[in-house]
Amino acid sequence: MHRRSLLAVGAAAALSLAASTGARAQAPIDIQFWHAMTGPLGQIVGQAAEAFNQAQNRYRVVATFKGGYVDTMTQAIAAFRAGQAPHIVQMFEVGTATMMAAGRAIKPVHELFAEAGIPLNTEQYLAGVRGYYSSSDGKLISMPFNSSTAVLWYNKDVFRAAGLDPEKPPATWPEVFAAARQIRERNAAPCGFTVGWPTWTQFEQFSALHNIPFSTRANGFDGLDTELRINAAPFVRHLNNLVEASRNGSFKWGGRDNAAEPLYISGECAMIQTSSAFRARVQREAKFQWGATMLPFYPDVIAEPINSVIGGASLWVMTSPNRRAEEYRGVVEFFNFLSRPDRDAWWHQQTGYVPITRGGYEQSQRDGFYQREPGTDMPIHQLTRGTMTENSRGFRLGRFVEIRNIIQEEMEKALQGQQSAQAALDAAVQRGNRVLRDFERASR
Amino acid sequence: MRRRVIFRGKLLPYLLLAPQIAITAVFFFWPAGMAIMQSMLREDPFGLRSTFVGLENFAELFADPLYLGAFSNTLVFSGSVAFFSIAVGLFLAVLADKQIRGANLYKTLLIWPYAIAPALSAALWLFLFHPAIGLFARIIRGYGVDWNYYINGGQAMLLVTIAAAWKQVSYNFIFFLAGLQAIPKSVLEAAAIDGASETRRFWSIVFPLLSPTTFFLLVVNLVYAFFDTFGAIHALTQGGPAKATETLIYKVYVDGVVNLNLGSSAAQSVVLMVLVIMLTAVQFRYIERKVHY
């Protein structure tokens, strides 16, 4: 009796062991994916992961929301230090240089594909998107994900009230200033224009489409010893113009990052320069007829502006002790899935971000998406016009978040009248260079 | 005739103290030690390369005009938060201490704000004073003031001060109310019979008798303004415009979490640690000795 029950227990144990090893052969491998997308966008990221999980059964991508970009970055770094880094982390574009300097903490995408023995077709990604996340010799370091660019949004109702042609938005900076002045003079709106993401739209995009350097060494792509160049004449003149315009109310400073966006939505400011991904919110909340156009430029600096740069985030592959080749393989499969024309087109149409691949763009054209939603391809045209130069490829500056804030602070001081535009930008360059040298020293 | 318990042997007392020491070690000594260590390193965010730099982080800190700016911001901010919250708390306590109908209702309502989470209350202030959508912002602009704390540093400082002080008013109110109730009625009555006016009675009798409470609240409010106002500043101004509202504690966050400059951030935490130790020492040393009735 006793012996028989023992045998039974032994048999049961053996069975369960067999069952568990069998299950292990079939259980999908978990791929941890930390992202920073809030609200509806976060749900769309979840759907993208779910679609991948449905399409195959070897891997299971677990998408987890980790807070905003800064929080996600901080948590990924803390997780790495604790040996618990996720496989994939979404990182905003200003964190690019910090991640690139992270050495063995990250696995560059081109290496990831090479190790998995799967060819990586870099060419399929749109040049403006790919350039930002590639090394200076063109090797893809992180996987493009959500990209947008800056455009100019305007209020057609206010344009009409001010006697401006609502179908002919201003194309150049002199036209923007003139339109804003006219809006104020006719009192069509309390403020002519404002800007979101001030450093990004007024300095980064500005330098790219005017083809003037933001910093030396090809905007940092060629080395850590880069130095800021934003106290050059075109920037100073532009900041001066903004300060002048703020005196007569045609320009209003709306705060840092995207704090200015409510000013446009509420109808207070007739124009705003901000992300093209602002579209979803405008569609939902704006109670006026709106339009969007390309960013303005100074015709005496450049006759034909070239491409603007992207903003947004990319996906970084992180390393961790004991991470197996099979897991990296799963990351490759997931990246390839996201880059499929149908998946990319779906992502682009659902979120309002630009497509990351040419295939996704062409698919959206075939779907008739740009006829249904006129103007959604305008940011893509702005991103791809002209020939990309080392001034318009992107930025590779260490601790760029801090530098962006420094520039915002110095802009604020100039607008407060504490200092001239020249002094503000000289101070920004000086403070920014100190950060760059610090980063250079810490990364050596 | 105090009874003293004397333990035999050395093991038992240490054993009894062990849980407290363990908690202090894990939650204070260990993190504090880490901060001190980190403050002498220069490290990339991922901790892959670190160099020992001695006191260089501190030297850089005190040579940095922006850090000294944060210092003076903190002094202005903490001073005004403590002053406003104590003054308003005392004023309300004196009013609520009178014989009025529904006094208990007022008292309860005045204590409510203390129960609101700092980030939440900051969000409420944001909705009231936001330059574009704020209710009060519109009223202020109706009076011809160009209200835009996104660019006006003075307005930004005023706003975070009010938001931070508002929350502390309830706390001060409770303590002052208790303090007022402890003042013997006979003294006040005697003064009234002698013909002292209400104002006179307040400044000559009530206020001096409240001084231990006031001093205690001063220290508590200063510590609050130094260390617990992160939520308000973060939600309202993020330290801007142009660093006008960047206090020491906010700078620790910006440099450590946003800018990932761990060495400098750790050095700043060590400075803050020294400050809080000093404040606590002052409180322990003087609170019951120097403040007399």
Side-chain angles (χ1 to χ4, degrees), chain A residues 310-333:
Chain A
I310 55 162
S314 64
L315 303 181
W316 288 84
V317 186
M318 295 192 75
T319 63
S320 175
N322 311 324
R323 189 153 283 170
R324 291 171 296 137
E326 189 60 16
E327 295 171 52
Y328 289 120
R329 170 90 196 198
V331 176
V332 170
E333 301 272 339

Side-chain angles (χ1 to χ4, degrees), chain B residues 271-289:
Chain B
V271 173
L272 277 175
M273 190 158 72
V274 171
L275 278 177
V276 80
I277 289 172
M278 270 161 42
L279 268 173
T280 317
V282 166
Q283 186 185 355
F284 277 146
R285 199 169 160 74
Y286 293 107
I287 190 151
E288 268 158 21
R289 281 216 255 148

Side-chain angles (χ1 to χ4, degrees), chain B residues 70-193:
Chain B
F71 234 110
S72 70
N73 280 343
T74 310
L75 291 182
V76 171
F77 174 72
S78 309
S80 20
V81 166
F83 176 77
F84 281 123
S85 57
I86 288 178
V88 176
L90 179 59
F91 180 68
L92 292 173
V94 168
L95 292 187
D97 193 40
K98 290 192 176 142
Q99 298 297 326
I100 43 172
R101 195 181 299 161
N104 281 331
L105 182 70
Y106 292 128
K107 288 174 195 165
T108 314
L109 288 179
L110 281 168
I111 293 165
W112 269 9
Y114 198 61
I116 297 175
L120 259 181
S121 73
L124 293 177
W125 286 98
L126 183 74
F127 279 120
L128 291 176
F129 286 99
H130 190 282
I133 53 174
L135 183 72
F136 287 170
R138 231 172 279 168
I139 298 171
I140 295 170
R141 244 177 309 185
Y143 286 103
V145 179
D146 182 21
W147 176 261
N148 186 358
Y149 68 82
Y150 280 133
I151 195 66
N152 188 318
Q155 290 176 358
M157 182 55 109
L158 185 68
L159 181 62
V160 288
T161 304
I162 294 174
W166 172 78
K167 186 171 158 34
Q168 206 60 8
V169 164
S170 317
Y171 183 86
N172 298 343
F173 171 77
I174 302 173
F175 276 86
F176 277 129
L177 196 63
L180 285 171
Q181 284 166 356
I183 293 175
K185 289 278 174 290
S186 53
V187 184
L188 290 170
E189 279 163 13
I193 291 167

Side-chain angles (χ1 to χ4, degrees), chain A residues 159-176:
Chain A
F159 266 54
R160 245 175 245 119
L164 294 159
D165 184 353
E167 298 315 318
K168 206 178 151 293
T172 66
W173 270 111
E175 286 170 29
V176 168

Side-chain angles (χ1 to χ4, degrees), chain A residues 360-416:
Chain A
Y361 177 47
E362 286 158 4
Q363 174 87 40
S364 298
Q365 281 175 322
R366 279 196 299 279
D367 291 349
F369 178 65
Y370 304 119
Q371 274 85 55
R372 281 201 310 277
E373 301 278 343
T376 39
D377 52 350
M378 182 266 294
I380 307 170
H381 294 314
Q382 185 183 273
L383 269 176
T384 49
R385 72 183 168 193
T387 317
M388 188 186 285
T389 68
E390 59 181 30
N391 296 327
S392 69
R393 182 167 42 180
F395 307 92
R396 191 61 43 81
L397 305 182
R399 295 194 5 214
F400 200 10
V401 189
E402 194 172 350
I403 293 172
R404 266 193 180 171
N405 282 333
I406 287 173
I407 297 172
Q408 291 185 144
E409 281 165 19
E410 296 299 335
M411 281 175 92
E412 284 167 350
K413 279 190 199 158
L415 288 161
Q416 286 170 350

Side-chain angles (χ1 to χ4, degrees), chain A residues 81 101-102 409 412 416 438, chain B residues 42-43 45 48-49 151 242-243:
Chain A
R81 294 180 80 131
E409 281 165 19
E412 284 167 350
Q416 286 170 350
D438 225 39
Chain B
R42 187 171 295 253
E43 199 176 58
L48 302 172
R49 294 162 288 255
I151 195 66
K243 296 204 179 288

